[in-house]
Amino acid sequence: MLAPEARPPGAQPAPFVASLVPSHSPIVVRDLSVSFDGRPVVDGVDLTVPAGHRVGLVGENGSGKSTLLACVAGTLLPDAGTVEAPGDLGYLPQDGG
């Protein structure tokens, strides 16, 4: 999860709840929304991944795949929604270069 100091100066806390749950728990995302410069990238996403399952996330460039994963991993603070993810969740972001 992002620490409060990771928010831009003067930004209001987002209505977001992130919970780290035991490793045998599912990933649960509810009504997740993220926008950049006023452009919605992820809007109202609901997702449940049962514990122990693998999921492929497929979509066009710019469709919000990496944004969704960053929110689930806790490295990006969404505008709204909730995320419950196991504490031992691994996340390797794509190379920006």
Side-chain angles (χ1 to χ4, degrees):
M1 273 185 346
L2 289 176
E5 61 271 11
R7 291 189 185 102
Q12 294 295 319
F16 171 69
V17 177
S19 302
L20 295 181
V21 294
S23 61
H24 60 276
S25 299
I27 295 171
V28 180
V29 176
R30 294 286 174 251
D31 202 26
L32 194 74
S33 296
V34 180
S35 60
F36 295 112
D37 296 325
R39 179 181 163 261
V41 177
V42 174
D43 189 21
V45 171
D46 291 320
L47 171 72
T48 301
V49 180
H53 284 70
R54 294 182 178 145
V55 175
L57 190 57
V58 180
E60 295 181 15
N61 290 347
S63 63
K65 300 177 302 290
S66 296
T67 299
L68 172 61
L69 292 175
C71 289
V72 170
T75 63
L76 178 65
L77 185 65
D79 298 327
T82 61
V83 174
E84 295 177 6
D88 63 350
L89 178 72
Y91 174 63
L92 180 62
Q94 67 185 19
D95 183 2

